[in-house]
């Protein structure tokens, strides 16, 4: 198949591109390298089935040309990361909403099966754990810019599902819960690479808030396996929403302790209030656990990697970068 991956130079995107090339697909990538890195796609440059354009999602001509040659689009490009979202809310909303609108327009024009990346953030402050795809959603007020990410992704979901209902476009929505693994940037607030880098440098690990908030971390290899299976099963793109994530829950304090243990670091944890880490009045969710029954039924998928194995992969990757003296 010819697959067009937006955001293919990003963390999840570059792992997906590698897997697609390995199984024989042709892959086109569009990425503006805002949070992605050229180094992520450099290994594929020169591959006969790989093509990339460094450009913005909102360049209609490039988007049209790449979609015209594709059977399917995996739309991953987005403004990502809590820090970026809080600091640049306008860019977040425009990239996510206008970008997805543009992608869906070309998908309709060329009848491309489309996977849209969404997020567990859309569950907002919901407390009905585990979160199911059809749950009511509870976002915070528009005066708190962190909710603009969830709201923009939710609008993306509505746009995608509307394109399916009104125009018969084959669309699936993938709601990712925390996806982690080698190659994830820690610059925009992602907790696992940030902790691992701090520990490897012998620094204190900075836990935001009191550390009792919990998350479920899914290895990017498991996430990619789910995306490949969704691409392969036409019935899944009939206007469906799927949670993709691990159900192994851990508090952020326990995560920090585990990182310290596995890196053999000195072991100090410093607690920083959210208001200081992000912005005054910053709100977060206490727990986020996906119900994965729907995707398990649809594609027979379960995460296979536990937190220790994820941490070992990230530690090995970050240690290699540190040894090579990579700029952060
Ligand atoms: P990432 O930042 O590594 O990837 C996003 C990519 O999109 C980057 O390469 C960036 O350069 C590119 N991009 C951003 N704006 C663009 C634009 N206007 N035009 C072209 N390219 C643009 O992040 P990721 O973790 O790989 O996330 C991929 C997708 O998964 C995103 O849609 C994100 O919202 C979603 N998601 C990720 C997680 C996670 O835990 N990693 C959780 C929930 C949702």
């Amino acid at each position: 198949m010819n697959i067009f991956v937006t955001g293919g130079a990003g963390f999840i995107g570059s792992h997906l591109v590698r897997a697609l090339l390995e199984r024989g697909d042709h892959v086109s990538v569009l990425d503006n390298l805002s949070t992605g890195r050229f180094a992520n796609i450099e290994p594929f440059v020169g591959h006969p089935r790989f093509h990339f354009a460094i450009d913005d999602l909102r360049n209609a001509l490039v988007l049209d040309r790449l979609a015209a040659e594709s059977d399917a689009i995996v739309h991953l490009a987005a403004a990502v990361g809590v820090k970026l979202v809080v600091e640049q809310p306008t860019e977040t909303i425009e990239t996510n909403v206008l970008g997805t609108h543009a992608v869906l327009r070309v998908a309709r024009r060329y009848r491309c099966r489309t996977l849209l990346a969404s997020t567990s953030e859309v569950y907002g402050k919901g407390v009905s754990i585990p979160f199911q795809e059809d749950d009511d959603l509870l976002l915070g007020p528009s005066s708190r810019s962190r909710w603009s990410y969830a709201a923009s992704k939710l609008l993306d979901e509505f746009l995608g599902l509307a394109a399916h209902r009104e125009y018969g476009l084959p669309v699936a929505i993938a709601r990712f819960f925390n996806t982690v693994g080698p190659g994830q940037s820690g610059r925009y607030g992602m907790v696992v690479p940030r902790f691992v880098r701090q520990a490897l440098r012998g620094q204190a690990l900075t836990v935001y808030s009191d550390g009792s908030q919990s998350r479920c971390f899914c290895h990017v290899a498991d996430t990619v396996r789910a995306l490949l299976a969704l691409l392969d099963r036409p019935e899944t793109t009939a206007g469906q929403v799927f949670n993709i994530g691990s159900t192994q829950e851990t508090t952020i304090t326990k995560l920090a302790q585990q990182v310290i243990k596995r890196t053999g670091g000195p072991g100090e944890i410093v607690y920083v209030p959210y208001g200081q880490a992000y912005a005054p009045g910053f709100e977060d969710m206490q727990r986020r656990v996906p119900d994965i029954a729907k995707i398990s039924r649809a594609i027979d998928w379960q995460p296979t990697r536990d937190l220790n194995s994820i941490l070992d992969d990230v530690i090995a990757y970050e240690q290699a970068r540190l040894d090579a003296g990579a700029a952060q």
Side-chain angles (χ1 to χ4, degrees):
M1 280 206 293
N2 291 315
I3 316 283
F4 173 17
V5 182
T6 74
F11 164 56
I12 297 175
S14 54
H15 283 273
L16 176 65
V17 169
R18 181 182 299 279
L20 289 167
L21 289 173
E22 277 172 5
R23 69 180 207 166
D25 290 307
H26 287 75
V27 184
S28 302
V29 161
L30 174 65
D31 199 302
N32 69 358
L33 301 184
S34 52
T35 55
R37 288 192 287 227
F38 183 72
N40 287 344
I41 50 168
E42 206 170 9
F44 318 129
V45 175
H47 191 294
R49 285 181 279 104
F50 178 71
H51 173 75
F52 71 97
I54 297 175
D55 213 323
D56 197 276
L57 270 181
R58 287 157 286 183
N59 184 333
L61 280 178
V62 176
L63 204 58
D64 188 275
R65 183 169 52 77
L66 294 176
E69 298 158 356
S70 305
D71 304 303
I73 302 177
V74 185
H75 177 40
L76 299 170
V80 178
V82 177
K83 200 162 183 296
L84 186 76
V85 167
V86 169
E87 288 170 4
Q88 300 177 27
T90 307
E91 176 64 15
T92 299
I93 297 165
E94 289 185 359
T95 299
N96 295 358
V97 178
L98 302 181
T100 301
H101 177 251
V103 167
L104 287 167
R105 246 198 349 220
V106 293
R108 272 170 52 196
R109 189 171 302 143
Y110 299 107
R111 305 298 303 164
C112 302
R113 290 179 56 215
T114 305
L115 301 188
L116 295 183
S118 185
T119 168
S120 59
E121 288 268 326
V122 301
Y123 292 103
K125 300 193 260 188
V127 288
S128 124
I129 300 284
F131 296 138
Q132 288 184 336
E133 289 84 349
D134 285 332
D135 282 351
D136 289 339
L137 306 174
L138 180 65
L139 301 188
S142 54
S143 54
R144 303 270 158 86
S145 61
R146 79 104 72 216
W147 297 110
S148 66
Y149 175 62
S152 64
K153 284 288 189 175
L154 196 53
L155 197 52
D156 289 353
E157 293 195 12
F158 278 120
L159 282 169
L161 297 175
H164 174 70
R165 272 192 213 108
E166 279 187 70
Y167 306 105
L169 184 72
V171 173
I173 313 287
R175 280 186 190 159
F176 299 131
F177 286 62
N178 292 67
T179 299
V180 293
Q184 185 171 37
S185 165
R187 277 175 299 168
Y188 308 100
M190 283 66 169
V191 64
V192 171
R194 192 167 57 76
F195 280 178
V196 169
R197 283 175 202 185
Q198 288 174 324
L200 290 177
R201 288 184 173 80
Q203 299 165 348
L205 274 63
T206 42
V207 169
Y208 300 155
S209 189
D210 66 0
S212 67
Q213 68 276 26
S214 69
R215 296 293 181 266
C216 300
F217 296 97
C218 185
H219 196 290
V220 65
D222 281 326
T223 301
V224 164
R225 207 162 37 80
L227 291 173
L228 296 178
L230 289 174
L231 278 173
D232 287 344
R233 308 259 182 104
E235 68 278 11
T236 61
T237 46
Q240 298 289 327
V241 180
F242 296 101
N243 289 336
I244 299 179
S246 159
T247 53
Q248 188 193 354
E249 193 176 8
T250 183
T251 68
I252 300 302
T253 291
K254 277 202 189 124
L255 174 72
Q257 289 164 342
Q258 223 161 326
V259 168
I260 289 166
K261 191 168 153 205
R262 300 193 88 76
T263 53
E268 203 195 339
I269 296 177
V270 172
Y271 291 88
V272 177
Y274 277 135
Q276 200 177 315
Y278 295 121
F282 181 84
E283 295 184 309
D284 203 14
M285 305 116 140
Q286 191 61 18
R287 296 178 69 197
R288 270 186 232 171
V289 184
D291 184 317
I292 55 170
K294 184 173 175 187
I295 190 154
S296 301
R297 273 196 308 275
I299 59 167
D300 193 20
W301 179 86
Q302 299 275 348
T304 57
R305 311 282 204 101
D306 68 8
L307 187 56
N308 283 339
S309 118
I310 293 173
L311 290 181
D312 289 348
D313 270 9
V314 176
I315 291 165
Y317 173 84
E318 294 297 342
Q319 183 67 63
R321 266 174 71 88
L322 202 61
D323 293 345
Q328 299 304 299

